[in-house]
Amino acid sequence: MRRDEFLKSLAALAAAGALPLSAHAAANLKMMIPANPGGGWDTTGRALGKALQEAKVADSVSYDNKGGAAGALGLAQFVNSSKGDPNALMVMGAVMLGGIITGKPPVNLSQATPIARLISEYNVYVLPANSQFKTMADVVAQLKKDPGSVKWGGGSRGSTEHIAACMLAREVGVDPAKINYVAFRGGGEATAAILGGNVTVGGSGYSEFAEYIKAGKMKAIAVTSPTRLKGIAVPTLKEQGINVELGNWRGVYGAPGITDAQRKALTDMVLAALKTKAWQEALVKNDWTPAVMSGPAFDKFVDDEFAMLRATMVKAGMV
């Protein structure tokens, strides 16, 4: 075969996604982070971007933060501007599913392409350091006395900390509809509100508040895990007689309209990144639990999560 014919054949195979990952030139990836800087999605997206580059499957990764509506604003931009783009990724997770259920945005997650689940994380509830309350029992007593006086601060409406607060109310005999929840567009805003004493209780993934808890600027009073988190001396809600358990998880999606071959190539790139030293260090630094899942199993998981969250939110009076 002549050299020019060989090169044409090689180009055709690459365009069809038929070459192995190592045969492709490293990509210039675009990462949609559907939240403001400083939160869990932002940290996850940037850690993944660093790992993609360390794995040498990406030459560069650019980031676009678009916060609001539990990720729905970022999702809308991603769906509308990235159609058919094999180098586009979007961070997503349980929070986005909850926001879609409550907000009913004009775009849906099903329009994008599932790639992989990455991690799981449980929420922690914290008090400002100068709070008049000391324990979750103190918070519950005030909640029973005057539900509206307890301001719960966290991510967008429909986030896991919002859902868990409504579940807690139901468990202690308070109407979940009376939960006074203050939603923030990003983790940075929520953190500032808690540190400033502008909310009674704050909720988020443990990693987002860890440095403030260790520094004594926030007091952790409960986690939403089934058992205590490894190496963290914070009681679970169940330990405190409140039968609430709710996990958070994060993953990535690809653009709408990419081919099966492009989806596989993108999935292989992400899975390669999860094996790097950079990603392993991020897991430890952020207290993330690996929860890797891809392919049809991830598709089914997301469908099942939608059903579970919708049922939970209906019971909690949120839908």
Side-chain angles (χ1 to χ4, degrees):
M1 181 182 287
R2 288 169 48 190
R3 184 174 180 273
D4 59 340
E5 292 176 342
F6 171 76
L7 291 175
K8 287 179 182 179
S9 298
L10 194 64
L13 286 169
L19 286 176
L21 185 61
S22 59
H24 287 282
N28 296 308
L29 296 177
K30 292 172 283 186
M31 184 88 67
M32 163 57 70
I33 300 174
N36 289 349
W41 280 349
D42 188 58
T43 305
T44 302
R46 292 175 190 274
L48 179 61
K50 181 179 179 181
L52 285 161
Q53 288 176 285
E54 184 176 295
K56 300 190 184 305
V57 294
D59 275 337
S60 67
V61 181
S62 60
Y63 305 94
D64 187 3
N65 287 84
K66 181 72 173 179
L73 296 185
L75 172 62
Q77 181 173 312
F78 184 73
V79 166
N80 293 326
S81 66
S82 301
K83 291 176 183 176
D85 187 346
N87 293 325
L89 283 171
M90 178 188 68
V91 182
M92 49 74 67
V95 172
M96 182 174 284
L97 272 58
I100 289 171
I101 293 167
T102 58
K104 301 179 179 63
V107 294
N108 200 289
L109 190 58
S110 62
Q111 293 171 260
T113 305
I115 298 298
R117 187 179 70 181
L118 306 176
I119 57 170
S120 185
E121 185 175 32
Y122 288 98
N123 287 335
V124 61
Y125 282 109
V126 299
L127 301 171
N130 61 353
S131 173
Q132 61 177 308
F133 305 120
K134 303 300 179 187
T135 65
M136 181 57 81
D138 295 339
V139 173
V140 169
Q142 182 63 27
L143 187 68
K144 290 180 176 179
K145 180 180 177 182
D146 182 4
S149 68
V150 179
K151 290 184 179 179
W152 302 79
S156 300
R157 176 176 169 79
S159 63
T160 51
E161 55 266 32
H162 185 189
I163 295 168
C166 292
M167 292 169 69
L168 181 151
R170 187 190 66 201
E171 287 295 319
V172 301
V174 174
D175 182 356
K178 293 183 178 179
I179 282 288
N180 182 2
Y181 187 79
V182 182
F184 295 95
R185 290 167 65 93
E189 293 180 10
T191 296
I194 297 161
L195 293 175
N198 297 319
V199 296
T200 311
V201 188
S204 190
Y206 188 87
S207 64
E208 292 188 42
F209 293 159
E211 63 178 291
Y212 303 101
I213 294 170
K214 291 172 184 174
K217 295 180 179 179
M218 295 180 183
K219 179 177 176 57
I221 56 173
V223 290
T224 61
S225 50
T227 58
R228 289 198 183 197
L229 301 177
K230 184 178 179 181
I232 298 171
V234 181
T236 66
L237 286 169
K238 285 190 170 184
E239 274 184 73
Q240 301 178 69
I242 304 169
N243 188 29
V244 172
E245 174 189 328
L246 188 63
N248 198 355
W249 58 268
R250 299 185 193 117
V252 286
Y253 264 52
I258 60 174
T259 66
D260 290 344
Q262 289 169 336
R263 176 184 177 180
K264 183 181 185 305
L266 203 50
T267 301
D268 288 345
M269 291 166 66
V270 170
L271 295 180
L274 303 186
K275 296 175 182 177
T276 62
K277 181 180 178 182
W279 183 255
Q280 298 307 312
E281 289 175 346
L283 293 176
V284 174
K285 179 183 178 181
N286 296 294
D287 295 305
W288 291 336
T289 301
V292 182
M293 182 185 290
S294 61
F298 182 48
D299 298 357
K300 183 178 186 301
F301 169 79
V302 173
D303 289 342
D304 291 345
E305 278 286 290
F306 260 120
M308 182 277 290
L309 284 173
R310 183 176 284 106
T312 299
M313 293 163 81
V314 167
K315 290 179 181 177
M318 293 177 63
V319 179

